[in-house]
Amino acid sequence: MLRQPSIGGPDGYSFTPLVVVELAPDAKEEAVAWLLNKVIDGEQSGGADLLVEQLRPSASDGEKDNRNVFLVGASWQRLLSGAEDLGLFKEFNDGSMRAFTCANRDNFKDFKGDGDDFLSMAECQYIVKHELDSLRAKSETHIPGYEKIKLYPGKSIIRRMQSKGILVQVFPLHETEELKRLSFSWYQKVKLSLQPLDDIRHYYGEGMALYFGFLEYFTFALMPMALIGVPYYLFDWEDYDKYVLFAAFNLVWCTVILEAWKRSSATMAYRWGTLSRKKAFEEPRPGFHGVLGLNPVTGREEPLYPNTKRLLRIYLVSVPFVLLCLYLSLYGMMVYFLAEGWALTLHAAEPGVWTAVLTFVPSVVYAVVIEVMNLIYRYAAEFLTGWENHRLESSYQNHLVLKVLVFNFFNCFASLFYIAFVMHDMVMLRQSLATLLITSQILNQVMEAFLPYWLQRRRNKKMMRRASKRANRGEKEMTLADQVRLEADMSTYLGTFDDYLELFLLFGYVSLFSCVYPLAAVLVVLNNITEVYSDAFKMCHVFKRPFSEPAANIGVWQLAFEAMSVIAVVTNCALIGMSPQVKSYFPESETQLIMWTAAIEHGLLALKLILTFVIPDVPKHIQTKLARLEFESLEALKKKSLIRGR
Amino acid sequence: MLRQPSIGGPDGYSFTPLVVVELAPDAKEEAVAWLLNKVIDGEQSGGADLLVEQLRPSASDGEKDNRNVFLVGASWQRLLSGAEDLGLFKEFNDGSMRAFTCANRDNFKDFKGDGDDFLSMAECQYIVKHELDSLRAKSETHIPGYEKIKLYPGKSIIRRMQSKGILVQVFPLHETEELKRLSFSWYQKVKLSLQPLDDIRHYYGEGMALYFGFLEYFTFALMPMALIGVPYYLFDWEDYDKYVLFAAFNLVWCTVILEAWKRSSATMAYRWGTLSRKKAFEEPRPGFHGVLGLNPVTGREEPLYPNTKRLLRIYLVSVPFVLLCLYLSLYGMMVYFLAEGWALTLHAAEPGVWTAVLTFVPSVVYAVVIEVMNLIYRYAAEFLTGWENHRLESSYQNHLVLKVLVFNFFNCFASLFYIAFVMHDMVMLRQSLATLLITSQILNQVMEAFLPYWLQRRRNKKMMRRASKRANRGEKEMTLADQVRLEADMSTYLGTFDDYLELFLLFGYVSLFSCVYPLAAVLVVLNNITEVYSDAFKMCHVFKRPFSEPAANIGVWQLAFEAMSVIAVVTNCALIGMSPQVKSYFPESETQLIMWTAAIEHGLLALKLILTFVIPDVPKHIQTKLARLEFESLEALKKKSLIRGR
């Protein structure tokens, strides 16, 4: 990572800048000095032992640049000890992945002496971020210069300053050269190929790489369905009865691909060293507030908030609110069906081009309304979940995901379920599905491809302006100061939540109802391909570089997709049971038909459950490697205790 | 544990005997000497560092006692270091449970210097057993004196000698005084009270205590059902329609009690220190064989057996065999129904006392046949699972439990399902259930209470004989030698498998069908109460003391009971849907009724799943304590790496 062009380069900083800390332009000087001292101080005196320099003002142009921008770096010894603290896994000499320790460093594969490529820049930035986050107040009762901003022993300084607006942002720097190379191999190549997942992980960290890995996997998993779907669509378009085979295929497909994904995700996570990484103790999330007290676990003084109060907020406010929203969504659906019926009768009364177009209007409007409701609800859910005052970021995330998922699922699929199982109208189901799918895709593409493109153009103009200034001064390359100020202006990437949510809904459309509209898979494949490109583009050029985040799997989303696949089994069984083809086998008794359907469905659900148990989540050869590590550490412990026992 | 009456007592052994090792009377002397040396040798030279003395021949009576019986003990230092090796959890000064370490020993609550009551005798015996089991061959290629009994580096010596018959048995000694006290407070008191679970754990270990804890819990959980069942039975006996409420109650009950059990089991396991104990690396089970090779995990030479071969054996032999047995069981069921029908027509043709009795004969015969088939199948399953050649004891157990459970479930419940859902005959269902339940209980009581009682009487006679001899010699107390020889003759307790299996089937009868036969719960409660007494009696007086086994939960049985409770939800929903009471709400359309039943059942299953997720398996206050330990060890690690990092 020390190959950055900036060491002793034209910019003349004494270290490689890794992370930018931007304070408010009007932050009091004593607070700034205090923070910087904390960052620089050795660990014995409670500091982070990092390197800091002020960003030089952007080469003398008239703009009033914020002077409170600082570059943070670290010595390589500091980074290595940080890597050990965090338990980063690196490749060992024997090819296995092991937690890095300084004592053992010469046995790691790529460790070639001092200050080399051993840690990737993303890892270094992650270490620096962790060290900054764990700067904690000791005896200070408030932030110097701000009497009102209280501190208590153990409170994270950075988080407190950020929540009070003294600290504007902390972000990692892009590596210009690296980024050029990555974006070329990712999406600028003409040749179609797999995404460079290892490079993405190297640059953005495991969390992001797993998202792109899942997107790619999902796209490939859809291929067989898309391939079967096209002839189905072309030759059987009007034959609504023949979807039984397709539904049966769906049913198997959605179980198999999720099981296979778990294994392929474990393989990736092992390669990247996150599979067996132990989770560190979780600190309270920034927004968490409460009365100061002693944490029963750490024994430290920190805000406490009674769990019963939180549960009351959840069950007395959040749950009723979600139910109300579900009711509203249901109400919207009924209005849609009324409008649809009205348009159809109008068309029947006065057939013509305009009334024919009119019959499509309710569907399109409804699709737009769904998207808008999802968006509004999203904000409400974020507010409510914040108000529930969860102590941990992970529990906040789980509650948010749950709220958003339930509503989105209901909002997007309720009408389809209604059409399929109450109205029993397969023609309308197909039409609705097509409208929903196409409208939401168009909306998404606008939001995700054109918006970024437009932001990028605006940014380009700014760059041009600066470049022309540089040209005036006779400089060729962009200075570091320019780069930092440009990146500080870029939007912040808010995480993979929305991206996963979109995939979740697409997965739902395909796994639940694609048997009546075989083109769905084709549409989703097309959408995913453009998604890869637009996501890659926005990661490389629109957003600030996000801090890398170690992840061993896609977390709560795996659960969400699995829940959807259970619903898919039930739905497809019901669709099969309702098909005229199957009905013809039970000409005399509908009861018999339903009984059989229910019995087979229960059998399939049981089988699915058993498969989930029987298929190991981690492939055998990786299990062996993990067991080997476990065994070695047990043996080492035994030896140690023997020596002590003597 | 050193309060045993035997130290320097009349028996004059130089240490407290903990474990008895009995070798074959004709074992070659060099083999015996070699083994004893191994046991005595220090750990540096690969020995177990234990103390051994030969059992003195039983005070000079003419019987040809086996001279190859040895008493094994250990110094208290050895036991403490063994406790550390095994990671035993003991109570710390601050009331939390922590892994014992010698370095830290003075901070443990009951550690009062040397050779005290700190470790219970059961724990000492467990440590000695572990040390004996981990005696491994080094350079020896065969057992001295037995050219043909090969050894390879790392093979457990005790296991090899046991499987070849040179070693007859290894068992821990009973503590006479302790046992008297325990059996008094357990089952000889007249006052009804809870079982002394902590004392049971102290004497028999956590695995056994959890079984008795579960038995007690299950009995209490059945109380409300039994209390509701009696009036139901008395007043609504002939009103077959009114079981809806009872079925609904069942449905909730079976979900709630299992969730609550998980929490109460975690509470117990925390108190006993097994909840957070790390599992040691599992060695191959004694019966495992294969070609010598390098274990990919440990790098040690040991027998390897290809997994594909095992899978072939499972899927090509075991699975078809199980299916065949299921088919036979089904066939038996059909024969039973034929016989039943024949007896009924006979009774209808010639009503009379004898023909009335005859109508009960098929049910009773069928109940006996079921028990016999279960017993035979059990042996077949053990043979097959052994033949599958599993490397680990745990995987052997899982496969065995699965095989036995599936067949037992099918065998016991198939006829009930057939009567309920194919014949729709609630009267017959009730009658069958009662017959099955009562017959199997009578059989069980015979097997479990009278057989032990008879064994105990036979043993008493032997003791009387010895005691009279002692009286002749003027001795009052039984000598240690007498005690050892008596205990060596007692039967070996084969583990909790059969006891859990019985509870599992009883749980099935109650949760699946008790709504049509409300007395079922009462019968099961009565059975459980006698079960506690007969099990306690047999543990204390019929069987050799078993080695204690640390356990954090009831393992695979939790899963089995949960599977049963899922089936119970489905069954009870179906029973409710079939009830005339509910049917009367849907007078015109049976389809509607079935649809509603299926919908509600799916909702309940989903709710059950959600409840399982939402209710934490470990109570909050224990979670906090565990998190505290985790946090402290993380902090300790951090400090250590900081010191190293400097």
Side-chain angles (χ1 to χ4, degrees):
Chain A
M1 104 273 164
L2 294 187
R3 287 226 210 88
Q4 270 291 94
S6 52
I7 338 156
D11 303 314
Y13 291 96
S14 57
F15 60 86
T16 315
L18 293 168
V19 170
V20 177
V21 174
E22 182 180 353
L23 289 116
D26 57 350
K28 299 220 171 117
E29 262 180 48
E30 43 196 311
V32 176
W34 174 73
L35 176 67
L36 294 184
N37 273 332
K38 278 266 178 192
V39 174
I40 295 167
D41 271 355
E43 278 172 285
Q44 286 89 343
S45 39
D49 197 11
L50 299 173
L51 308 171
V52 178
E53 271 187 43
Q54 190 167 22
L55 186 73
R56 307 222 174 87
S58 181
S60 71
D61 49 353
E63 290 180 72
K64 278 173 202 149
D65 281 331
N66 178 3
R67 286 187 56 87
N68 279 336
V69 179
F70 299 91
L71 301 173
V72 182
S75 67
W76 62 267
Q77 292 97 331
R78 181 72 193 85
L79 289 172
L80 291 183
S81 81
E84 181 171 346
D85 277 7
L86 281 168
L88 283 193
F89 270 60
K90 301 294 286 181
E91 194 172 355
F92 208 62
N93 263 341
D94 63 356
S96 66
M97 302 296 295
R98 281 163 204 243
F100 176 76
T101 57
C102 290
N104 223 352
R105 60 190 181 192
D106 290 320
N107 291 326
F108 283 83
K109 200 177 164 196
D110 294 319
F111 194 87
K112 298 186 196 85
D114 305 339
D116 54 6
D117 267 340
F118 183 61
L119 296 172
S120 74
M121 181 130 167
E123 281 167 334
C124 294
Q125 290 166 337
Y126 177 66
I127 293 166
V128 168
K129 177 186 179 236
H130 175 258
E131 298 298 340
L132 287 176
D133 273 349
S134 43
L135 273 181
R136 289 172 191 292
K138 286 180 127 179
S139 51
E140 299 92 342
T141 54
H142 59 88
I143 289 174
Y146 296 87
E147 289 284 329
K148 281 185 186 158
I149 303 182
K150 300 282 179 223
L151 286 173
Y152 50 85
K155 173 71 189 175
S156 164
I157 293 170
I158 293 281
R159 286 178 172 192
R160 175 48 56 102
M161 290 177 93
Q162 197 154 17
S163 67
K164 293 297 175 184
I166 308 173
L167 186 72
V168 180
Q169 58 181 353
V170 177
F171 64 91
L173 275 172
H174 268 300
E175 296 157 89
T176 332
E177 289 304 310
E178 194 71 31
L179 189 62
K180 244 181 226 164
R181 234 173 308 151
L182 176 67
S183 62
F184 177 76
S185 69
W186 200 354
Y187 66 93
Q188 290 177 334
K189 260 186 315 190
V190 183
K191 215 179 87 209
L192 263 180
S193 64
L194 297 180
Q195 298 175 83
L197 288 180
D198 286 324
D199 296 343
I200 297 173
R201 177 244 164 182
H202 192 80
Y203 196 87
Y204 289 109
E206 290 82 13
M208 196 64 67
L210 274 172
Y211 164 68
F212 282 103
F214 183 66
L215 177 57
E216 182 173 297
Y217 175 85
F218 182 42
T219 312
F220 276 103
L222 278 170
M223 292 289 182
M225 202 182 264
L227 287 180
I228 301 175
V230 173
Y232 236 85
Y233 179 79
L234 291 178
F235 302 118
D236 280 331
W237 172 233
E238 292 304 324
D239 194 351
Y240 302 119
D241 311 357
K242 298 227 171 125
Y243 65 73
V244 172
L245 215 69
F246 210 86
F249 173 78
N250 261 0
L251 204 142
V252 177
W253 175 82
C254 66
T255 303
V256 169
I257 64 150
L258 286 179
E259 280 304 311
W261 163 251
K262 260 192 273 184
R263 291 167 68 89
S264 107
S265 139
T267 311
M268 279 196 272
Y270 177 78
R271 196 170 68 224
W272 297 335
T274 48
L275 191 60
S276 44
R277 198 171 156 261
K278 301 258 179 317
K279 263 200 183 160
F281 180 77
E282 261 190 289
E283 299 292 337
R285 59 186 296 266
F288 178 67
H289 57 85
V291 184
L292 269 194
L294 286 183
N295 180 318
V297 173
T298 60
R300 289 185 197 146
E301 204 172 317
E302 71 168 40
L304 296 182
Y305 188 77
N307 203 30
T308 44
K309 240 176 166 175
R310 183 177 306 124
L311 288 178
L312 281 181
R313 285 187 174 187
I314 292 176
Y315 289 111
L316 294 187
V317 180
S318 297
V319 171
F321 175 79
V322 172
L323 291 178
L324 182 75
C325 288
L326 294 182
Y327 174 77
L328 284 180
S329 150
L330 219 58
Y331 193 82
M333 184 186 88
M334 296 320 278
V335 170
Y336 154 65
F337 283 120
L338 276 180
E340 177 97 358
W342 176 77
L344 282 175
T345 44
L346 204 74
H347 180 58
E350 295 174 49
V353 181
W354 284 109
T355 51
V357 170
L358 195 65
T359 57
F360 278 97
V361 170
S363 296
V364 174
V365 170
Y366 183 54
V368 174
V369 165
I370 283 180
E371 290 285 321
V372 173
M373 277 169 84
N374 279 348
L375 220 65
I376 296 175
Y377 177 84
R378 175 71 194 278
Y379 286 103
E382 269 173 20
F383 172 79
L384 268 182
T385 317
W387 179 72
E388 285 166 13
N389 201 13
H390 293 276
R391 187 175 163 274
L392 299 180
E393 184 62 31
S394 61
S395 122
Y396 171 85
Q397 284 296 339
N398 288 346
H399 279 259
L400 181 62
V401 168
L402 188 68
K403 280 198 194 67
V404 173
L405 275 195
V406 168
F407 182 76
N408 274 264
F409 178 81
F410 208 80
N411 209 8
C412 293
F413 297 112
S415 65
L416 298 177
F417 277 105
Y418 188 83
I419 297 171
F421 299 118
V422 180
M423 297 166 68
H424 293 286
D425 186 343
M426 291 300 139
V427 185
M428 190 169 169
L429 179 61
R430 171 182 299 181
Q431 194 182 320
S432 277
L433 184 63
T435 320
L436 268 177
L437 207 53
I438 294 170
T439 321
S440 78
Q441 280 191 26
I442 291 174
L443 281 177
N444 270 320
Q445 293 303 328
V446 169
M447 301 284 279
E448 292 203 16
F450 291 97
L451 210 71
Y453 181 73
W454 178 75
L455 283 170
Q456 154 79 354
R457 271 196 52 191
R458 212 183 53 168
R459 191 168 146 262
N460 269 352
K461 271 189 200 152
K462 210 168 181 178
M463 270 180 76
M464 296 287 273
R465 226 178 324 126
R466 291 199 182 230
S468 68
K469 274 183 199 156
R470 262 204 313 279
N472 288 346
R473 289 199 306 273
E475 289 167 18
K476 258 185 173 172
E477 287 221 334
M478 192 166 64
T479 63
L480 186 67
D482 286 334
Q483 190 199 335
V484 169
R485 291 191 198 277
L486 260 176
E487 287 183 17
D489 280 348
M490 289 163 99
S491 354
T492 305
Y493 181 66
L494 293 172
T496 46
F497 189 104
D498 289 293
D499 298 316
Y500 276 119
L501 183 61
E502 196 191 329
L503 287 188
F504 174 76
L505 294 178
L506 291 178
F507 179 71
Y509 285 124
V510 172
S511 61
L512 296 178
F513 294 111
S514 71
C515 60
V516 295
Y517 182 53
L519 272 195
V522 180
L523 285 177
V524 174
V525 166
L526 289 179
N527 177 75
N528 280 3
I529 292 173
T530 55
E531 183 86 21
V532 167
Y533 284 91
S534 65
D535 281 356
F537 178 78
K538 76 182 184 195
M539 287 317 302
C540 293
H541 291 294
V542 179
F543 289 122
K544 283 190 200 83
R545 183 176 191 168
F547 278 108
S548 84
E549 215 158 312
N553 48 50
I554 60 173
V556 64
W557 292 101
Q558 179 78 37
L559 219 67
F561 277 84
E562 267 164 32
M564 181 66 95
S565 87
V566 170
I567 300 174
V569 169
V570 178
T571 310
N572 280 298
C573 280
L575 285 174
I576 292 175
M578 277 166 43
S579 77
Q581 240 183 328
V582 172
K583 269 188 182 158
S584 64
Y585 284 106
F586 298 89
E588 74 294 334
S589 156
E590 203 176 6
T591 314
Q592 278 278 316
L593 167 68
I594 299 175
M595 293 288 226
W596 272 106
T597 310
I600 289 171
E601 182 240 6
H602 278 85
L604 284 173
L605 283 179
L607 189 72
K608 195 173 156 62
L609 204 74
I610 292 170
L611 277 185
T612 314
F613 264 97
V614 168
I615 301 177
D617 288 357
V618 177
K620 188 79 187 167
H621 65 281
I622 290 177
Q623 271 180 27
T624 308
K625 285 180 188 161
L626 292 179
R628 193 181 170 83
L629 280 186
E630 185 87 0
F631 173 76
E632 279 173 13
S633 77
L634 276 176
E635 288 293 293
L637 261 177
K638 229 181 250 172
K639 251 179 224 155
K640 213 162 63 189
S641 78
L642 270 184
I643 292 163
R644 238 187 302 155
R646 298 296 88 180
Chain B
M1 103 276 163
L2 294 186
R3 288 226 211 88
Q4 272 288 96
S6 54
I7 335 158
D11 303 314
Y13 289 96
S14 58
F15 59 88
T16 316
L18 294 167
V19 170
V20 177
V21 174
E22 182 181 354
L23 288 118
D26 58 349
K28 299 222 170 115
E29 262 182 50
E30 43 195 312
V32 176
W34 173 73
L35 175 66
L36 294 183
N37 272 332
K38 278 267 177 192
V39 175
I40 295 166
D41 272 354
E43 278 173 284
Q44 287 90 342
S45 40
D49 197 11
L50 300 172
L51 308 171
V52 178
E53 272 188 44
Q54 192 168 19
L55 185 74
R56 307 223 173 84
S58 184
S60 70
D61 50 353
E63 289 180 73
K64 278 172 203 153
D65 282 330
N66 179 2
R67 288 188 54 88
N68 280 335
V69 179
F70 299 92
L71 301 173
V72 181
S75 68
W76 62 266
Q77 293 97 328
R78 182 69 193 86
L79 288 173
L80 291 183
S81 82
E84 179 170 346
D85 278 7
L86 280 169
L88 283 193
F89 270 61
K90 301 293 287 180
E91 195 173 355
F92 207 62
N93 263 341
D94 63 356
S96 66
M97 301 296 294
R98 280 161 205 244
F100 176 76
T101 57
C102 290
N104 223 352
R105 59 190 182 192
D106 291 319
N107 292 324
F108 282 84
K109 202 177 163 194
D110 294 318
F111 194 88
K112 299 185 195 85
D114 303 339
D116 54 6
D117 266 341
F118 183 61
L119 295 173
S120 74
M121 181 129 165
E123 281 168 334
C124 295
Q125 289 166 337
Y126 177 65
I127 292 166
V128 168
K129 178 188 178 235
H130 175 258
E131 298 299 339
L132 287 176
D133 272 348
S134 43
L135 274 181
R136 287 170 192 293
K138 287 179 128 181
S139 52
E140 299 92 340
T141 53
H142 59 88
I143 289 174
Y146 296 86
E147 289 285 328
K148 279 186 188 158
I149 304 182
K150 300 284 178 221
L151 286 173
Y152 50 86
K155 174 72 190 175
S156 163
I157 293 169
I158 293 282
R159 287 177 171 192
R160 173 52 52 102
M161 288 176 95
Q162 197 153 17
S163 66
K164 293 297 174 184
I166 307 174
L167 186 73
V168 179
Q169 57 182 353
V170 178
F171 65 91
L173 275 172
H174 269 299
E175 296 157 90
T176 332
E177 289 305 308
E178 194 71 30
L179 189 61
K180 245 181 226 164
R181 232 174 308 153
L182 176 66
S183 63
F184 177 76
S185 69
W186 198 354
Y187 66 92
Q188 291 177 334
K189 262 187 315 193
V190 183
K191 213 180 90 211
L192 261 181
S193 64
L194 296 181
Q195 298 175 84
L197 288 180
D198 286 324
D199 296 341
I200 297 172
R201 177 245 165 182
H202 193 80
Y203 197 85
Y204 289 108
E206 291 81 14
M208 196 65 68
L210 274 173
Y211 164 70
F212 282 104
F214 183 66
L215 177 56
E216 183 174 297
Y217 174 86
F218 181 43
T219 312
F220 277 104
L222 278 170
M223 292 290 183
M225 201 182 266
L227 287 180
I228 301 175
V230 173
Y232 234 86
Y233 180 79
L234 292 179
F235 302 118
D236 281 331
W237 173 233
E238 293 305 324
D239 194 352
Y240 303 119
D241 311 356
K242 298 228 172 123
Y243 64 74
V244 173
L245 216 68
F246 209 86
F249 173 77
N250 260 0
L251 203 141
V252 177
W253 175 82
C254 65
T255 303
V256 170
I257 63 150
L258 286 179
E259 281 303 310
W261 163 251
K262 260 193 274 184
R263 291 167 69 89
S264 106
S265 139
T267 310
M268 281 196 269
Y270 177 77
R271 194 168 71 226
W272 298 336
T274 49
L275 191 60
S276 44
R277 197 169 157 264
K278 301 259 178 318
K279 264 201 183 157
F281 180 78
E282 262 189 287
E283 300 291 336
R285 60 186 295 266
F288 178 67
H289 56 85
V291 183
L292 270 194
L294 286 182
N295 181 319
V297 173
T298 58
R300 289 185 198 146
E301 203 172 318
E302 70 168 42
L304 296 182
Y305 188 77
N307 204 30
T308 43
K309 240 175 165 175
R310 182 177 307 125
L311 288 178
L312 280 181
R313 284 185 174 187
I314 292 176
Y315 289 110
L316 294 186
V317 180
S318 297
V319 172
F321 174 78
V322 172
L323 292 178
L324 181 74
C325 288
L326 293 182
Y327 174 78
L328 284 180
S329 151
L330 218 61
Y331 192 82
M333 183 187 88
M334 295 320 280
V335 170
Y336 155 64
F337 283 120
L338 275 179
E340 177 99 358
W342 175 77
L344 283 175
T345 43
L346 206 74
H347 179 58
E350 297 174 46
V353 180
W354 285 109
T355 52
V357 169
L358 195 66
T359 58
F360 278 96
V361 170
S363 294
V364 174
V365 170
Y366 184 54
V368 173
V369 165
I370 282 180
E371 290 286 320
V372 171
M373 275 171 85
N374 279 348
L375 220 66
I376 295 175
Y377 178 83
R378 176 73 194 279
Y379 287 103
E382 268 173 22
F383 172 78
L384 267 182
T385 317
W387 179 72
E388 285 166 14
N389 201 13
H390 292 276
R391 188 175 163 275
L392 299 180
E393 185 63 30
S394 60
S395 123
Y396 171 85
Q397 284 295 340
N398 288 345
H399 279 260
L400 180 61
V401 168
L402 188 68
K403 278 197 195 69
V404 174
L405 276 195
V406 168
F407 182 77
N408 274 263
F409 177 81
F410 208 81
N411 210 8
C412 294
F413 297 113
S415 65
L416 299 177
F417 277 105
Y418 187 83
I419 297 171
F421 300 119
V422 180
M423 297 166 69
H424 294 283
D425 187 342
M426 290 300 139
V427 186
M428 190 169 170
L429 179 60
R430 169 182 299 181
Q431 194 182 319
S432 276
L433 185 62
T435 320
L436 268 178
L437 208 53
I438 294 169
T439 322
S440 78
Q441 279 190 26
I442 291 173
L443 282 178
N444 270 319
Q445 294 303 328
V446 170
M447 301 283 281
E448 294 202 16
F450 292 96
L451 209 71
Y453 181 73
W454 178 76
L455 283 170
Q456 155 78 354
R457 273 195 52 190
R458 211 184 52 167
R459 193 169 145 260
N460 270 351
K461 274 189 199 152
K462 210 168 181 178
M463 271 179 77
M464 297 287 272
R465 227 179 324 128
R466 291 197 183 232
S468 68
K469 274 184 198 153
R470 263 206 309 280
N472 289 347
R473 289 198 306 270
E475 288 166 19
K476 256 186 176 169
E477 287 221 334
M478 189 167 64
T479 63
L480 185 69
D482 285 334
Q483 190 199 334
V484 170
R485 290 191 199 277
L486 260 176
E487 287 184 18
D489 279 349
M490 290 164 100
S491 351
T492 305
Y493 180 65
L494 292 172
T496 47
F497 189 104
D498 289 292
D499 299 316
Y500 275 119
L501 183 62
E502 194 190 332
L503 288 187
F504 174 75
L505 294 178
L506 291 177
F507 179 71
Y509 286 123
V510 172
S511 62
L512 296 179
F513 294 111
S514 72
C515 59
V516 294
Y517 182 53
L519 273 196
V522 181
L523 286 177
V524 174
V525 166
L526 289 179
N527 177 75
N528 281 2
I529 292 172
T530 54
E531 182 86 21
V532 167
Y533 284 91
S534 66
D535 281 356
F537 178 77
K538 75 182 184 194
M539 287 317 301
C540 293
H541 291 294
V542 179
F543 289 123
K544 282 191 200 81
R545 182 176 192 169
F547 278 107
S548 83
E549 215 159 312
N553 48 52
I554 60 173
V556 64
W557 292 101
Q558 180 76 37
L559 219 67
F561 278 83
E562 267 164 32
M564 182 67 95
S565 87
V566 170
I567 298 173
V569 169
V570 178
T571 310
N572 280 298
C573 279
L575 285 173
I576 293 175
M578 276 166 43
S579 78
Q581 240 183 328
V582 172
K583 268 186 183 159
S584 64
Y585 285 106
F586 297 89
E588 74 295 330
S589 156
E590 203 177 7
T591 314
Q592 279 276 318
L593 166 67
I594 299 176
M595 292 290 226
W596 273 105
T597 310
I600 289 172
E601 181 240 4
H602 278 86
L604 285 172
L605 283 180
L607 189 72
K608 194 173 158 61
L609 205 75
I610 292 171
L611 278 184
T612 314
F613 264 97
V614 168
I615 301 176
D617 288 356
V618 177
K620 186 81 187 167
H621 67 280
I622 289 177
Q623 270 179 28
T624 308
K625 284 180 190 162
L626 292 180
R628 192 180 170 83
L629 280 186
E630 185 88 0
F631 174 76
E632 277 172 16
S633 77
L634 275 176
E635 287 294 292
L637 260 179
K638 230 183 248 172
K639 250 177 224 159
K640 210 163 64 186
S641 78
L642 270 183
I643 292 162
R644 238 186 305 153
R646 299 294 88 182

